[in-house]
PDB file of all heavy atoms in Angstrom:
ATOM      1  N   GLN A 234     -18.528  12.425   5.244  1.00 98.00           N
ATOM      2  CA  GLN A 234     -18.154  13.489   4.317  1.00 98.00           C
ATOM      3  C   GLN A 234     -18.566  13.149   2.882  1.00 98.00           C
ATOM      4  O   GLN A 234     -17.788  12.568   2.119  1.00 98.00           O
ATOM      5  CB  GLN A 234     -16.649  13.761   4.395  1.00 98.00           C
ATOM      6  CG  GLN A 234     -16.181  14.324   5.725  1.00 98.00           C
ATOM      7  CD  GLN A 234     -16.050  13.270   6.825  1.00 98.00           C
ATOM      8  OE1 GLN A 234     -16.102  12.077   6.572  1.00 98.00           O
ATOM      9  NE2 GLN A 234     -15.899  13.719   8.057  1.00 98.00           N
ATOM     10  N   ASP A 235     -19.787  13.520   2.508  1.00 98.00           N
ATOM     11  CA  ASP A 235     -20.214  13.366   1.115  1.00 98.00           C
ATOM     12  C   ASP A 235     -19.863  14.628   0.341  1.00 98.00           C
ATOM     13  O   ASP A 235     -19.266  15.568   0.884  1.00 98.00           O
ATOM     14  CB  ASP A 235     -21.709  13.043   1.028  1.00 98.00           C
ATOM     15  CG  ASP A 235     -22.598  14.135   1.627  1.00 98.00           C
ATOM     16  OD1 ASP A 235     -22.106  15.265   1.885  1.00 98.00           O
ATOM     17  OD2 ASP A 235     -23.799  13.861   1.827  1.00 98.00           O
ATOM     18  N   LEU A 236     -20.243  14.662  -0.925  1.00 98.00           N
ATOM     19  CA  LEU A 236     -19.813  15.772  -1.776  1.00 98.00           C
ATOM     20  C   LEU A 236     -20.371  17.110  -1.299  1.00 98.00           C
ATOM     21  O   LEU A 236     -19.655  18.125  -1.305  1.00 98.00           O
ATOM     22  CB  LEU A 236     -20.219  15.505  -3.227  1.00 98.00           C
ATOM     23  CG  LEU A 236     -19.744  16.522  -4.265  1.00 98.00           C
ATOM     24  CD1 LEU A 236     -18.225  16.675  -4.237  1.00 98.00           C
ATOM     25  CD2 LEU A 236     -20.205  16.115  -5.663  1.00 98.00           C
ATOM     26  N   GLU A 237     -21.619  17.150  -0.880  1.00 98.00           N
ATOM     27  CA  GLU A 237     -22.200  18.407  -0.414  1.00 98.00           C
ATOM     28  C   GLU A 237     -21.465  18.926   0.814  1.00 98.00           C
ATOM     29  O   GLU A 237     -21.200  20.128   0.942  1.00 98.00           O
ATOM     30  CB  GLU A 237     -23.694  18.217  -0.117  1.00 98.00           C
ATOM     31  CG  GLU A 237     -24.539  17.976  -1.353  1.00 98.00           C
ATOM     32  CD  GLU A 237     -24.411  19.112  -2.367  1.00 98.00           C
ATOM     33  OE1 GLU A 237     -24.517  20.289  -1.968  1.00 98.00           O
ATOM     34  OE2 GLU A 237     -24.168  18.818  -3.557  1.00 98.00           O
ATOM     35  N   TYR A 238     -21.162  18.035   1.718  1.00 98.00           N
ATOM     36  CA  TYR A 238     -20.420  18.398   2.927  1.00 98.00           C
ATOM     37  C   TYR A 238     -19.060  18.990   2.557  1.00 98.00           C
ATOM     38  O   TYR A 238     -18.652  20.048   3.079  1.00 98.00           O
ATOM     39  CB  TYR A 238     -20.261  17.151   3.792  1.00 98.00           C
ATOM     40  CG  TYR A 238     -19.537  17.327   5.103  1.00 98.00           C
ATOM     41  CD1 TYR A 238     -20.221  17.340   6.309  1.00 98.00           C
ATOM     42  CD2 TYR A 238     -18.134  17.438   5.161  1.00 98.00           C
ATOM     43  CE1 TYR A 238     -19.559  17.464   7.527  1.00 98.00           C
ATOM     44  CE2 TYR A 238     -17.463  17.576   6.364  1.00 98.00           C
ATOM     45  CZ  TYR A 238     -18.181  17.589   7.542  1.00 98.00           C
ATOM     46  OH  TYR A 238     -17.520  17.726   8.737  1.00 98.00           O
ATOM     47  N   VAL A 239     -18.351  18.315   1.655  1.00 98.00           N
ATOM     48  CA  VAL A 239     -16.998  18.744   1.297  1.00 98.00           C
ATOM     49  C   VAL A 239     -17.021  20.038   0.486  1.00 98.00           C
ATOM     50  O   VAL A 239     -16.131  20.887   0.629  1.00 98.00           O
ATOM     51  CB  VAL A 239     -16.267  17.618   0.541  1.00 98.00           C
ATOM     52  CG1 VAL A 239     -14.898  18.077   0.050  1.00 98.00           C
ATOM     53  CG2 VAL A 239     -16.106  16.393   1.441  1.00 98.00           C
ATOM     54  N   LYS A 240     -18.020  20.221  -0.345  1.00 98.00           N
ATOM     55  CA  LYS A 240     -18.143  21.485  -1.079  1.00 98.00           C
ATOM     56  C   LYS A 240     -18.218  22.660  -0.111  1.00 98.00           C
ATOM     57  O   LYS A 240     -17.527  23.678  -0.290  1.00 98.00           O
ATOM     58  CB  LYS A 240     -19.397  21.462  -1.964  1.00 98.00           C
ATOM     59  CG  LYS A 240     -19.230  20.695  -3.268  1.00 98.00           C
ATOM     60  CD  LYS A 240     -20.555  20.321  -3.899  1.00 98.00           C
ATOM     61  CE  LYS A 240     -21.437  21.517  -4.179  1.00 98.00           C
ATOM     62  NZ  LYS A 240     -22.708  21.112  -4.865  1.00 98.00           N
ATOM     63  N   ALA A 241     -19.040  22.535   0.913  1.00 98.00           N
ATOM     64  CA  ALA A 241     -19.224  23.634   1.868  1.00 98.00           C
ATOM     65  C   ALA A 241     -17.961  23.874   2.693  1.00 98.00           C
ATOM     66  O   ALA A 241     -17.515  25.025   2.841  1.00 98.00           O
ATOM     67  CB  ALA A 241     -20.417  23.336   2.774  1.00 98.00           C
ATOM     68  N   LEU A 242     -17.373  22.807   3.223  1.00 98.00           N
ATOM     69  CA  LEU A 242     -16.172  22.976   4.046  1.00 98.00           C
ATOM     70  C   LEU A 242     -14.989  23.413   3.186  1.00 98.00           C
ATOM     71  O   LEU A 242     -14.188  24.268   3.606  1.00 98.00           O
ATOM     72  CB  LEU A 242     -15.854  21.670   4.777  1.00 98.00           C
ATOM     73  CG  LEU A 242     -14.628  21.685   5.701  1.00 98.00           C
ATOM     74  CD1 LEU A 242     -14.699  22.830   6.703  1.00 98.00           C
ATOM     75  CD2 LEU A 242     -14.493  20.340   6.425  1.00 98.00           C
ATOM     76  N   GLY A 243     -14.889  22.875   1.976  1.00 98.00           N
ATOM     77  CA  GLY A 243     -13.809  23.276   1.081  1.00 98.00           C
ATOM     78  C   GLY A 243     -13.864  24.751   0.742  1.00 98.00           C
ATOM     79  O   GLY A 243     -12.827  25.435   0.688  1.00 98.00           O
ATOM     80  N   LYS A 244     -15.066  25.258   0.508  1.00 98.00           N
ATOM     81  CA  LYS A 244     -15.218  26.699   0.209  1.00 98.00           C
ATOM     82  C   LYS A 244     -14.796  27.549   1.404  1.00 98.00           C
ATOM     83  O   LYS A 244     -14.135  28.587   1.247  1.00 98.00           O
ATOM     84  CB  LYS A 244     -16.649  27.018  -0.181  1.00 98.00           C
ATOM     85  CG  LYS A 244     -16.836  28.472  -0.634  1.00 98.00           C
ATOM     86  CD  LYS A 244     -18.249  28.744  -1.074  1.00 98.00           C
ATOM     87  CE  LYS A 244     -18.363  30.137  -1.720  1.00 98.00           C
ATOM     88  NZ  LYS A 244     -17.793  31.218  -0.906  1.00 98.00           N
ATOM     89  N   ARG A 245     -15.153  27.124   2.600  1.00 98.00           N
ATOM     90  CA  ARG A 245     -14.741  27.869   3.793  1.00 98.00           C
ATOM     91  C   ARG A 245     -13.212  27.902   3.916  1.00 98.00           C
ATOM     92  O   ARG A 245     -12.623  28.935   4.265  1.00 98.00           O
ATOM     93  CB  ARG A 245     -15.339  27.234   5.051  1.00 98.00           C
ATOM     94  CG  ARG A 245     -16.846  27.431   5.210  1.00 98.00           C
ATOM     95  CD  ARG A 245     -17.345  26.698   6.435  1.00 98.00           C
ATOM     96  NE  ARG A 245     -16.635  27.133   7.635  1.00 98.00           N
ATOM     97  CZ  ARG A 245     -16.636  26.470   8.796  1.00 98.00           C
ATOM     98  NH1 ARG A 245     -17.276  25.309   8.884  1.00 98.00           N
ATOM     99  NH2 ARG A 245     -15.989  26.935   9.834  1.00 98.00           N
ATOM    100  N   ILE A 246     -12.586  26.764   3.627  1.00 98.00           N
ATOM    101  CA  ILE A 246     -11.126  26.681   3.695  1.00 98.00           C
ATOM    102  C   ILE A 246     -10.498  27.645   2.690  1.00 98.00           C
ATOM    103  O   ILE A 246      -9.566  28.401   3.023  1.00 98.00           O
ATOM    104  CB  ILE A 246     -10.679  25.227   3.442  1.00 98.00           C
ATOM    105  CG1 ILE A 246     -11.049  24.350   4.640  1.00 98.00           C
ATOM    106  CG2 ILE A 246      -9.178  25.154   3.161  1.00 98.00           C
ATOM    107  CD1 ILE A 246     -10.872  22.861   4.402  1.00 98.00           C
ATOM    108  N   LYS A 247     -11.001  27.628   1.479  1.00 97.00           N
ATOM    109  CA  LYS A 247     -10.459  28.511   0.445  1.00 97.00           C
ATOM    110  C   LYS A 247     -10.726  29.982   0.783  1.00 97.00           C
ATOM    111  O   LYS A 247      -9.842  30.842   0.614  1.00 97.00           O
ATOM    112  CB  LYS A 247     -11.069  28.165  -0.911  1.00 97.00           C
ATOM    113  CG  LYS A 247     -10.725  26.771  -1.416  1.00 97.00           C
ATOM    114  CD  LYS A 247      -9.289  26.649  -1.893  1.00 97.00           C
ATOM    115  CE  LYS A 247      -9.097  27.385  -3.214  1.00 97.00           C
ATOM    116  NZ  LYS A 247      -7.793  27.078  -3.826  1.00 97.00           N
ATOM    117  N   ASP A 248     -11.930  30.278   1.234  1.00 97.00           N
ATOM    118  CA  ASP A 248     -12.272  31.661   1.567  1.00 97.00           C
ATOM    119  C   ASP A 248     -11.432  32.199   2.713  1.00 97.00           C
ATOM    120  O   ASP A 248     -11.212  33.419   2.814  1.00 97.00           O
ATOM    121  CB  ASP A 248     -13.761  31.769   1.921  1.00 97.00           C
ATOM    122  CG  ASP A 248     -14.657  31.607   0.710  1.00 97.00           C
ATOM    123  OD1 ASP A 248     -14.138  31.647  -0.425  1.00 97.00           O
ATOM    124  OD2 ASP A 248     -15.891  31.439   0.898  1.00 97.00           O
ATOM    125  N   ALA A 249     -10.958  31.295   3.566  1.00 96.00           N
ATOM    126  CA  ALA A 249     -10.133  31.713   4.706  1.00 96.00           C
ATOM    127  C   ALA A 249      -8.666  31.885   4.324  1.00 96.00           C
ATOM    128  O   ALA A 249      -7.842  32.227   5.174  1.00 96.00           O
ATOM    129  CB  ALA A 249     -10.266  30.713   5.849  1.00 96.00           C
ATOM    130  N   GLY A 250      -8.359  31.648   3.046  1.00 96.00           N
ATOM    131  CA  GLY A 250      -6.997  31.875   2.572  1.00 96.00           C
ATOM    132  C   GLY A 250      -6.073  30.691   2.672  1.00 96.00           C
ATOM    133  O   GLY A 250      -4.844  30.843   2.548  1.00 96.00           O
ATOM    134  N   PHE A 251      -6.633  29.495   2.861  1.00 97.00           N
ATOM    135  CA  PHE A 251      -5.818  28.286   2.922  1.00 97.00           C
ATOM    136  C   PHE A 251      -5.768  27.594   1.566  1.00 97.00           C
ATOM    137  O   PHE A 251      -6.668  27.752   0.739  1.00 97.00           O
ATOM    138  CB  PHE A 251      -6.419  27.282   3.926  1.00 97.00           C
ATOM    139  CG  PHE A 251      -6.320  27.695   5.367  1.00 97.00           C
ATOM    140  CD1 PHE A 251      -7.320  28.463   5.946  1.00 97.00           C
ATOM    141  CD2 PHE A 251      -5.243  27.299   6.142  1.00 97.00           C
ATOM    142  CE1 PHE A 251      -7.252  28.843   7.273  1.00 97.00           C
ATOM    143  CE2 PHE A 251      -5.169  27.665   7.478  1.00 97.00           C
ATOM    144  CZ  PHE A 251      -6.169  28.445   8.043  1.00 97.00           C
ATOM    145  N   GLN A 252      -4.727  26.783   1.372  1.00 97.00           N
ATOM    146  CA  GLN A 252      -4.771  25.804   0.297  1.00 97.00           C
ATOM    147  C   GLN A 252      -5.621  24.632   0.769  1.00 97.00           C
ATOM    148  O   GLN A 252      -5.708  24.336   1.964  1.00 97.00           O
ATOM    149  CB  GLN A 252      -3.362  25.343  -0.087  1.00 97.00           C
ATOM    150  CG  GLN A 252      -2.547  26.419  -0.787  1.00 97.00           C
ATOM    151  CD  GLN A 252      -1.368  25.854  -1.555  1.00 97.00           C
ATOM    152  OE1 GLN A 252      -1.476  24.832  -2.225  1.00 97.00           O
ATOM    153  NE2 GLN A 252      -0.226  26.530  -1.449  1.00 97.00           N
ATOM    154  N   PHE A 253      -6.233  23.961  -0.201  1.00 98.00           N
ATOM    155  CA  PHE A 253      -7.192  22.902   0.094  1.00 98.00           C
ATOM    156  C   PHE A 253      -6.693  21.586  -0.492  1.00 98.00           C
ATOM    157  O   PHE A 253      -6.503  21.484  -1.704  1.00 98.00           O
ATOM    158  CB  PHE A 253      -8.559  23.293  -0.479  1.00 98.00           C
ATOM    159  CG  PHE A 253      -9.609  22.220  -0.433  1.00 98.00           C
ATOM    160  CD1 PHE A 253      -9.667  21.293   0.604  1.00 98.00           C
ATOM    161  CD2 PHE A 253     -10.577  22.152  -1.431  1.00 98.00           C
ATOM    162  CE1 PHE A 253     -10.651  20.309   0.637  1.00 98.00           C
ATOM    163  CE2 PHE A 253     -11.565  21.187  -1.407  1.00 98.00           C
ATOM    164  CZ  PHE A 253     -11.598  20.257  -0.378  1.00 98.00           C
ATOM    165  N   MET A 254      -6.456  20.587   0.381  1.00 98.00           N
ATOM    166  CA  MET A 254      -6.081  19.247  -0.045  1.00 98.00           C
ATOM    167  C   MET A 254      -7.314  18.350   0.025  1.00 98.00           C
ATOM    168  O   MET A 254      -7.907  18.185   1.091  1.00 98.00           O
ATOM    169  CB  MET A 254      -4.969  18.668   0.842  1.00 98.00           C
ATOM    170  CG  MET A 254      -4.544  17.252   0.426  1.00 98.00           C
ATOM    171  SD  MET A 254      -3.381  16.464   1.589  1.00 98.00           S
ATOM    172  CE  MET A 254      -1.950  17.528   1.418  1.00 98.00           C
ATOM    173  N   LEU A 255      -7.671  17.777  -1.117  1.00 98.00           N
ATOM    174  CA  LEU A 255      -8.821  16.877  -1.202  1.00 98.00           C
ATOM    175  C   LEU A 255      -8.333  15.438  -1.173  1.00 98.00           C
ATOM    176  O   LEU A 255      -7.450  15.052  -1.946  1.00 98.00           O
ATOM    177  CB  LEU A 255      -9.597  17.143  -2.492  1.00 98.00           C
ATOM    178  CG  LEU A 255     -10.775  16.212  -2.776  1.00 98.00           C
ATOM    179  CD1 LEU A 255     -11.888  16.413  -1.747  1.00 98.00           C
ATOM    180  CD2 LEU A 255     -11.307  16.432  -4.189  1.00 98.00           C
ATOM    181  N   ASP A 256      -8.954  14.635  -0.316  1.00 98.00           N
ATOM    182  CA  ASP A 256      -8.559  13.242  -0.138  1.00 98.00           C
ATOM    183  C   ASP A 256      -9.687  12.325  -0.616  1.00 98.00           C
ATOM    184  O   ASP A 256     -10.635  12.042   0.114  1.00 98.00           O
ATOM    185  CB  ASP A 256      -8.251  12.999   1.341  1.00 98.00           C
ATOM    186  CG  ASP A 256      -7.909  11.556   1.659  1.00 98.00           C
ATOM    187  OD1 ASP A 256      -7.625  10.793   0.723  1.00 98.00           O
ATOM    188  OD2 ASP A 256      -7.919  11.201   2.859  1.00 98.00           O
ATOM    189  N   PHE A 257      -9.593  11.875  -1.886  1.00 98.00           N
ATOM    190  CA  PHE A 257     -10.563  10.916  -2.424  1.00 98.00           C
ATOM    191  C   PHE A 257     -10.373   9.560  -1.750  1.00 98.00           C
ATOM    192  O   PHE A 257      -9.298   8.974  -1.832  1.00 98.00           O
ATOM    193  CB  PHE A 257     -10.367  10.730  -3.933  1.00 98.00           C
ATOM    194  CG  PHE A 257     -11.015  11.765  -4.790  1.00 98.00           C
ATOM    195  CD1 PHE A 257     -10.242  12.698  -5.473  1.00 98.00           C
ATOM    196  CD2 PHE A 257     -12.394  11.806  -4.955  1.00 98.00           C
ATOM    197  CE1 PHE A 257     -10.826  13.653  -6.299  1.00 98.00           C
ATOM    198  CE2 PHE A 257     -12.996  12.752  -5.774  1.00 98.00           C
ATOM    199  CZ  PHE A 257     -12.210  13.684  -6.451  1.00 98.00           C
TER     200      PHE A 257
END
Side-chain angles (χ1 to χ4, degrees):
Q234 294 78 12
D235 61 14
L236 185 56
E237 291 302 312
Y238 181 105
V239 175
K240 281 162 58 177
L242 181 53
K244 186 177 189 309
R245 289 177 57 196
I246 289 170
K247 296 287 288 191
D248 289 348
F251 291 88
Q252 290 199 42
F253 172 34
M254 180 187 295
L255 176 67
D256 176 15
F257 277 109

